[in-house]
Amino acid sequence: MTIFTKIINKEVPAEIVYEDEHCLAFRDINPQAPTHVLLIPKKEIPTMNDATPADRTILGHLLLTAPKIAAQEGIAEDGYRLVLNTNASAGQTVFHIHMHIIGGRPLGWPPG
Ligand code: AMP
């Protein structure tokens, strides 16, 4: 179990911006841009490498929910980035998959 499960269970506070049966979105505690939201499945999946075909529906749901949150945050038209860091070289620090929704400023490419 990670801190994100504690956020799901409301045992640790977070600024929640969206919630439904399958997922939760809250503001990153260390934002890298004016908008930086983390969208997570309520199901505990440590990394994208652990996702299976049984997770098809929840992963699709995350991808379809992210643009709704971007619209809610007012960054959908301007543009935003969806990021799923996986394991050490990508800088994953919390082993409960989370989609970063980042926007509100021009974003550089490629990532550092
Ligand atoms: P990653 O490096 O992709 O694993 O991203 C983990 C993210 O979780 C980082 O951007 C952290 O700032 C963020 N984070 C860690 N703990 C919390 C928390 N309690 N509430 C909100 N965001 C968090």
Side-chain angles (χ1 to χ4, degrees), residues 3-4 26-30 38 85 91-94 98 100:
I3 190 155
F4 288 176
F26 50 93
R27 297 200 190 283
D28 196 295
I29 204 167
N30 183 24
L38 300 176
N85 291 325
Q92 185 176 6
T93 58
V94 180
H98 46 280
H100 296 257

Side-chain angles (χ1 to χ4, degrees), residues 20-91:
D20 66 25
E21 183 186 354
H22 297 295
C23 66
L24 182 72
F26 50 93
R27 297 200 190 283
D28 196 295
I29 204 167
N30 183 24
Q32 301 302 313
T35 296
H36 189 167
V37 169
L38 300 176
L39 174 59
I40 68 174
K42 290 188 171 174
K43 179 179 177 186
E44 290 178 335
I45 304 170
T47 82
M48 281 305 295
N49 293 339
D50 302 303
T52 73
D55 300 317
R56 187 186 310 274
T57 300
I58 181 66
L59 294 174
H61 184 65
L62 289 181
L63 279 171
L64 293 172
T65 301
K68 292 184 187 171
I69 294 170
Q72 184 180 299
E73 293 289 319
I75 58 172
E77 293 307 318
D78 182 54
Y80 58 95
R81 188 166 294 161
L82 303 178
V83 176
L84 275 157
N85 291 325
T86 300
N87 281 339
S89 283

